Amino acid sequence: MTGMTDSPPEKLDRIEREAHDWLVRFTSGEAGPADLREGKMWIERDPAHRTAFMKATRMWEALGPEAFEGNRPAARTFASISMSRRAVLGGGAAAIAASAAYLVVQPPLGLWPSWSEMAADYRTHTGERRRIVVADTTFVEMNTQTSIALRQVAKEAAGIELISGEALVATPSGAGPAFVVTSSQGQTSGIEAKFNIRNDGHAVCVTCVEGNVHVSYGAAIASLRAREQITYDRSGLGKPAFVDAAIVTAWQDDLLIFHSKPLREVITEINRYRSGKIIVVNSALGARLFSANFRVRNVDAVLEQVEKLFGATVTSLPGGIVLLS
């Protein structure tokens, strides 16, 4: 069976717990230089340590930091996902099935489509962009890590569902039904309009670039003019605010622009365009304001900039993990 191991259960459990402990320390926001040096030495000491750390990293990607809160529950969840021989022999099939089902819903590191993304008609991978034409009239530019499904909104009206990611939509000129983009139970529509829409899994952000668009979420409705932006999430529909639409859509020109953004937000955005994961392990560093422009093809240049500007330390670990402290 794939993913099984012949390591003694007691050794496997101990190493997995230690890998969890190190990743929790790295992602706590309070790790110091000594922690990073000691953690890297632990990882490099034994191939089993390296493997366990990479598995812990995949779980962190799949389940989020909350899976690591409370060492014992986290270790149990991880043991199920790693599918140890003891779990199989001990009748742990139900736990394994539950873990496997969860990983279909939320796969680690984007290695395969999630359950919802399997319904997508179009997908882009990390660092990839793609342009599609819907109903022969509407242009949709898909950014990195984006999944879209075609939807027939009404008998005469076409539309799409933005399952995840980001897209720039340009609707045709002339009279006709509005083009509708559905995302996370909200709807954005426009005629003779261009708008950017992004779904990061927590909130949906809509920016009107040209013309007028209408955004609805639940019973709330808002109209946006050019250079206005609005966000909705589980708490409801926000209020429109003026933004620089050129910065929002700079990704179309393979450019990322940051103006006085907290470094933790910059790194979150950078991670959408590169393999692996950059983690800011110091909360004070994450709060520092950062301004810079980067070409998408050279996003790792942010590491050099952060080193120079803030005197940060860059530590590379297995699994594409990079720690900033």
Side-chain angles (χ1 to χ4, degrees), residues 20-306:
H20 273 270
D21 290 343
W22 280 117
L23 195 54
V24 167
R25 196 179 306 184
F26 292 152
T27 58
S28 67
E30 300 301 332
D35 296 310
L36 303 187
R37 287 194 298 270
E38 188 180 350
K40 190 172 184 180
M41 289 176 59
W42 181 88
I43 293 169
E44 295 173 348
R45 188 177 304 143
D46 188 326
H49 293 185
R50 179 186 179 95
T51 298
F53 183 80
M54 293 178 69
K55 286 182 178 180
T57 299
R58 290 195 293 270
M59 179 187 171
W60 187 85
E61 284 284 328
L63 306 182
E66 62 274 8
F68 289 79
E69 294 176 359
N71 187 46
R72 297 304 176 185
R76 293 301 89 214
T77 304
F78 183 71
S80 298
I81 293 177
S82 64
M83 298 185 182
S84 69
R85 182 176 298 278
R86 185 181 64 174
V88 175
L89 297 179
I96 293 173
S99 298
Y102 188 95
L103 293 182
V104 169
V105 175
Q106 186 63 46
L109 296 173
L111 294 178
W112 61 83
S114 68
W115 182 259
S116 59
E117 289 173 327
M118 288 180 182
D121 294 293
Y122 301 97
R123 298 182 67 242
T124 56
H125 301 288
T126 300
E128 179 188 7
R129 284 203 351 247
R130 182 177 184 181
R131 171 175 282 199
I132 61 174
V133 181
V134 181
D136 298 324
T137 58
T138 300
F139 291 91
V140 178
E141 183 96 15
M142 301 170 62
N143 199 3
T144 178
Q145 298 181 0
T146 296
S147 296
I148 285 176
L150 301 177
R151 295 287 184 261
Q152 192 72 30
V153 181
K155 186 176 182 180
E156 65 283 348
I160 60 172
E161 178 185 358
L162 178 66
I163 299 172
S164 63
E166 182 174 30
L168 185 72
V169 180
T171 63
S173 58
F179 187 84
V180 179
V181 179
T182 302
S183 190
S184 293
Q185 302 180 4
Q187 288 193 336
T188 301
S189 60
I191 300 175
E192 296 187 67
K194 181 184 289 188
F195 58 93
N196 194 89
I197 180 168
R198 174 170 170 168
N199 184 339
D200 64 7
H202 303 287
V204 176
C205 181
V206 181
T207 304
C208 181
V209 180
E210 297 176 7
N212 296 273
V213 298
H214 303 282
V215 182
S216 63
Y217 183 72
I221 301 175
S223 296
L224 301 181
R225 297 172 294 170
R227 302 188 304 280
E228 285 189 322
Q229 183 181 86
I230 199 168
T231 300
Y232 62 82
D233 55 25
R234 292 181 179 179
S235 64
L237 184 65
K239 295 182 179 180
F242 282 103
V243 296
D244 188 337
I247 293 179
V248 176
T249 60
W251 60 266
Q252 275 201 299
D253 298 316
D254 293 316
L255 187 65
L256 300 178
I257 302 174
F258 303 103
H259 285 172
S260 297
K261 289 281 188 181
L263 182 61
R264 59 177 174 273
E265 295 182 15
V266 173
I267 295 304
T268 296
E269 183 67 12
I270 291 294
N271 279 328
R272 299 176 62 221
Y273 295 88
R274 65 181 301 279
S275 300
K277 193 82 170 180
I278 302 174
I279 300 173
V280 181
V281 301
N282 183 285
S283 56
L285 177 63
R288 298 288 294 271
L289 298 182
F290 184 80
S291 297
N293 299 348
F294 295 99
R295 290 290 175 185
V296 168
R297 64 178 176 271
N298 193 33
V299 291
D300 277 342
V302 70
L303 299 174
E304 182 179 349
Q305 290 286 337
V306 172

